[in-house]
Amino acid sequence: MKNKGEIILKPTKDNSLRRFHPWVFSGAIAHASEGLQEGDVVKVFANDGAFLGVGHYQTGSISVRILSFEDEPIDRDFYLQRLTEAYRLRLKADLIRPDNTIYRLVYGEGDNLPGLIIDMYGNTAVVQVHTVGMNRDRHLIVEALQEVVPSHAIEHIFYKSEATLAYTGDREFRDGYLMGGDKVNPVAVENGLKFHIDWLRGQKTGFFIDQRENRKLVERYAQDRRVLNLFCYTGGFSAYALRGGARKVDSVDSSAKAVMLTNENIRLNFGEDARHGSCSEDAFKFLKKIEKDAYDLIILDPPAFAKHRGAIKNALQGYRKLNLAALEKIAPGGIIFTFSCSQAITREQFRVAVFSAAALSRRRVRIMYQLEQPVDHPINMYHPEGEYLKGLVLYVV
Ligand code: SAH
């Protein structure tokens, strides 16, 4: 048996780590040193004793999330190096600009930091962890973050992990500011459009950054169209459609709070704009009651219908039903932007669900674009599970 903080895998169970996949499943473990606590840093070895990687130990079906495939300490320098790498990618991708201050700086496994999310909103960083190990390291991460991002660009760091770590019952920490917190400016810009971000109470870290590029595409096709933005949340797609010259834009979300946030964001950019309407209603009911041909651009961006693999069948039926309802109502020559953010559903499965809806509608449907998540949500080559957002843009006659 090795020392504290070490794990030895069963024979043949080392293949995925040798291919740099960052997860060790509990069934792969032959021996673990005694007294391992959730959140500990552990070294993982093959059965023959070869070093494979070092990561955070956790209870549950994934036992270790590998942070490095080199035998190195997980300390401030480690986080500094990883965060620098992540920051440079966003700089190179030209996402950090005066007219774009909203971007994801760290996307978990995609940035070789499993369990860590950092979103930037103007000069506020929102840090969200999904593992006990990252929670323990939060002060190292915050120190590194202050060093990596220029000091004028980061004045507040909000830590938001109570909900994501609720399962641990850890009462040692609370959501709150780890830096700054006074005179916070909750308004940030995405491609020149202003958004009020509520990281305290909003879903996830407060905003869906992953649709930025897809919103730009909506802007490009919005001219003179009557636009329906279903599942609008904070109104991202609606703002781009209005800027793109839409004749009218209706925003719908089942949450009254979301509709309020949308209205606020539209006012922030366009004042009282008579072209915008909104209502809090179930998207399926809304589609059912509207007239045929009432809209010529419809956006369908629902929450993940399949939160786990067991829910795939029902989720596919949900996507088919939703897309069919939109296909039945859209005006001829209309465009549908349809998305799935369910990680458990593959691109192909989603496309088949939309295909079934198209066939049932009997309309002539062309795929104009196939969409995906943006560069600040990078997919680690060795971790395909990081791919989740897929979309189709349909031209419907
Ligand atoms: N398109 C948004 C993100 C959508 S998140 C953006 O670009 O920011 C999903 C949203 O769907 C949430 O705001 C949630 O309140 C809403 N929602 C969930 N179920 C719904 C339903 N049945 N009808 C309408 N909205 C729903």
Side-chain angles (χ1 to χ4, degrees):
M1 176 54 75
K2 301 257 181 182
N3 298 325
K4 187 175 182 328
E6 299 190 347
I7 276 177
I8 302 171
L9 300 186
K10 292 176 184 163
T12 77
K13 291 291 186 183
D14 53 345
N15 288 340
S16 68
L17 261 68
R18 289 190 193 280
R19 289 193 300 263
F20 307 114
H21 189 277
W23 294 347
V24 176
F25 289 96
S26 56
I29 296 177
H31 305 286
S33 32
E34 264 174 46
L36 265 188
Q37 301 278 328
E38 181 153 43
D40 283 350
V41 170
V42 284
K43 290 187 184 185
V44 181
F45 297 87
N47 206 257
D48 65 6
F51 173 85
L52 294 173
V54 54
H56 282 140
Y57 177 75
Q58 57 180 77
T59 52
S61 81
I62 300 174
S63 293
V64 185
R65 289 178 189 247
I66 298 290
L67 297 160
S68 177
F69 293 93
E70 307 295 324
D71 192 355
E72 61 178 322
I74 303 305
D75 54 11
R76 185 170 169 282
D77 277 355
F78 166 80
Y79 286 109
L80 194 60
Q81 183 269 331
R82 284 283 195 273
L83 290 183
T84 303
E85 200 175 293
Y87 188 67
R88 282 203 185 128
L89 171 61
R90 277 68 181 175
L91 272 178
K92 284 193 182 127
D94 200 24
L95 291 178
I96 311 176
R97 311 184 311 263
D99 69 332
N100 194 76
T101 64
I102 301 177
Y103 61 93
R104 176 157 288 190
L105 175 57
V106 174
Y107 173 55
E109 281 84 353
D111 287 296
N112 301 291
L113 287 168
L116 180 64
I117 299 291
I118 303 181
D119 287 337
M120 293 296 304
Y121 298 117
N123 60 9
T124 299
V126 181
V127 176
Q128 181 160 74
V129 306
H130 293 258
T131 62
V132 175
M134 284 296 181
N135 183 44
R136 275 202 205 163
D137 287 352
R138 64 189 181 278
H139 297 293
L140 293 177
I141 294 164
V142 163
E143 275 178 41
L145 184 59
Q146 285 168 266
E147 199 158 320
V148 170
V149 180
S151 59
H152 62 273
I154 186 162
E155 288 179 20
H156 313 279
I157 299 178
F158 187 73
Y159 192 64
K160 186 177 186 183
S161 302
E162 267 181 47
T164 46
L165 287 182
Y167 71 96
T168 64
D170 185 349
R171 290 278 141 256
E172 294 290 297
F173 75 96
R174 281 275 170 269
D175 287 354
Y177 289 93
L178 297 179
M179 175 188 165
D182 280 342
K183 299 205 188 93
V184 173
N185 178 7
V187 176
V189 282
E190 186 186 84
N191 289 318
L193 287 164
K194 296 185 207 120
F195 292 98
H196 186 290
I197 318 281
D198 186 354
W199 47 81
L200 272 82
R201 286 169 295 268
Q203 295 183 48
K204 310 268 171 104
T205 68
F207 191 69
F208 285 86
I209 303 176
D210 55 1
Q211 290 287 23
R212 178 185 51 241
E213 307 303 325
N214 302 330
R215 290 178 186 133
K216 262 206 299 215
L217 200 58
V218 163
E219 178 173 9
R220 226 166 95 192
Y221 286 94
Q223 184 82 44
D224 292 329
R225 290 185 187 263
R226 297 160 300 165
V227 176
L228 173 60
N229 180 13
L230 291 171
F231 311 92
C232 64
Y233 189 38
T234 53
F237 283 107
S238 303
Y240 281 73
L242 287 167
R243 190 169 69 178
R247 194 165 1 137
K248 73 163 184 164
V249 178
D250 287 332
S251 305
V252 177
D253 198 290
S254 56
S255 145
K257 172 90 196 298
V259 172
M260 267 170 52
L261 292 169
T262 294
N263 290 338
E264 186 182 341
N265 284 329
I266 298 307
R267 262 197 303 277
L268 204 55
N269 290 282
F270 307 98
E272 294 305 324
D273 192 324
R275 293 176 299 156
H276 185 244
S278 62
C279 81
S280 122
E281 194 168 350
D282 174 80
F284 290 89
K285 284 197 187 133
F286 189 90
L287 278 171
K288 192 166 253 171
K289 77 170 193 208
I290 58 173
E291 299 283 319
K292 216 168 168 300
D293 301 348
Y295 294 97
D296 13 49
L297 195 158
I298 299 179
I299 299 139
L300 306 171
D301 184 25
F305 283 168
K307 301 251 194 273
H308 52 86
R309 299 191 61 78
I312 290 177
K313 197 161 163 254
N314 282 342
L316 290 172
Q317 278 167 5
Y319 288 119
R320 191 181 65 199
K321 192 172 149 213
L322 178 65
N323 283 278
L324 175 57
L327 282 156
E328 281 174 340
K329 293 295 168 75
I330 189 125
I335 296 176
I336 299 178
F337 282 70
T338 180
F339 297 96
S340 162
C341 61
S342 306
Q343 191 275 334
I345 300 232
T346 65
R347 196 167 280 281
E348 195 51 37
Q349 284 172 318
F350 178 59
R351 191 166 147 165
V352 170
V354 177
F355 156 84
S356 309
L360 285 167
S361 77
R362 303 187 61 87
R363 311 249 338 223
R364 282 199 300 285
V365 181
R366 295 165 171 83
I367 297 176
M368 296 171 71
Y369 299 93
Q370 308 202 42
L371 305 179
E372 60 209 344
Q373 63 213 60
V375 58
D376 53 343
H377 294 61
I379 302 161
N380 177 340
M381 179 61 89
Y382 310 107
H383 181 257
E385 294 89 338
E387 180 174 5
Y388 69 98
L389 184 62
K390 47 245 163 234
L392 294 168
V393 184
L394 308 175
Y395 187 75
V396 187
V397 180

